[in-house]
Amino acid sequence: MTGSPGPGLGELAAEVARLSDIAALNHLIDRYLAGLDEGLASSASTSASTSAAGSDSGSDSDSDSGSGSDSGSGLGSGPGSGSGFDAVWAASLFTEDVELLFPVGSHQGLTGADGFLREIMERWGRTHHHGSLASVEPDGDLAAVSWSLIASHVHFGSPLPPQPSAYFQIGGRFTGVARRTPDGWRFARLRLRIVWSTGSPPGGVTEVDARTLEAADSRP
């Protein structure tokens, strides 16, 4: 007796390609969330280094040695002029025509996407974005993606752990579309809908963009 024939090489190749796309899309999501936190940390680090360098320069202005003690302000002291967000980072995540629809504003196109996200993130001293297991549905060169999010935002001046932080926290869900490009998968659209929040929002933010809360939206 012979058993039923197994999948052919073509079917196996197609399944391997599908699983490879799913892994790449999950990696894209992970890189995006990690980049928000790491970019802000890099910005704060650059700010602290610049502050320290400026302080050293001022204290040693009459010295030929150029040496002196460090006196940087450190994390959580205020927004910095440096940034971990740049055009190269944005291009590694988004398509040229990307649409970003967030509670505090929206942006269209790759150009300026880095500055748009930088402006949002630099309202905080530190952040921690925690994403759930993602739903990823590749279909040819497009993929629907979605995942739940808990994002914690620490106010400037809040003490470092293990002291309690002053923070603003949200819970919600990202939905979007990714597109295959010559350089790999990129987000073509991302939308964040907030379900709940706790703590104090940053200064100047008194309401959210109502479009992010609409339940009826035909787009994924």
Side-chain angles (χ1 to χ4, degrees):
M1 296 179 62
T2 59
S4 58
L9 290 178
E11 292 175 302
L12 288 174
E15 180 63 11
V16 169
R18 188 183 73 87
L19 293 175
S20 178
D21 283 339
I22 290 174
L25 288 161
N26 275 287
H27 184 54
L28 177 67
I29 293 169
D30 289 342
R31 286 196 299 111
Y32 169 68
L33 292 179
L36 296 177
D37 298 332
E38 293 168 359
L40 186 59
S42 175
S43 175
S45 177
T46 301
S47 174
S49 297
T50 302
S51 176
S55 177
D56 289 347
S57 175
S59 62
D60 298 324
S61 59
D62 297 327
S63 172
D64 293 332
S65 66
S67 62
S69 60
D70 292 337
S71 59
S73 59
L75 271 175
S77 59
S81 58
S83 177
F85 303 95
D86 57 31
V88 174
W89 173 78
S92 76
L93 295 169
F94 307 124
T95 61
E96 290 287 343
D97 59 347
V98 66
E99 181 184 14
L100 303 174
L101 184 59
F102 293 163
V104 292
S106 304
H107 179 82
Q108 180 80 45
L110 179 60
T111 300
D114 55 327
F116 170 72
L117 291 170
R118 181 191 310 118
E119 182 180 359
I120 293 174
M121 298 305 299
E122 288 189 343
R123 292 168 173 163
W124 309 101
R126 305 184 297 279
T127 62
H128 181 210
H129 289 76
H130 179 75
S132 70
L133 184 66
S135 172
V136 177
E137 301 176 12
D139 183 10
D141 290 335
L142 293 176
V145 298
S146 63
W147 69 93
S148 294
L149 172 80
I150 295 178
S152 304
H153 312 79
V154 181
H155 286 285
F156 286 111
S158 187
L160 294 172
Q163 299 301 313
S165 299
Y167 65 91
F168 176 63
Q169 194 173 52
I170 63 170
R173 189 160 184 85
F174 268 109
T175 56
V177 174
R179 183 187 305 142
R180 193 194 311 273
T181 75
D183 297 318
W185 287 97
R186 300 290 188 268
F187 292 117
R189 184 174 186 267
L190 274 183
R191 175 196 187 205
L192 174 60
R193 294 182 63 244
I194 291 181
V195 177
W196 58 266
S197 66
T198 187
S200 301
V205 177
T206 58
E207 60 183 16
V208 301
D209 186 333
R211 290 175 298 169
T212 66
L213 301 178
E214 291 174 355
D217 189 339
S218 60
R219 295 175 297 179

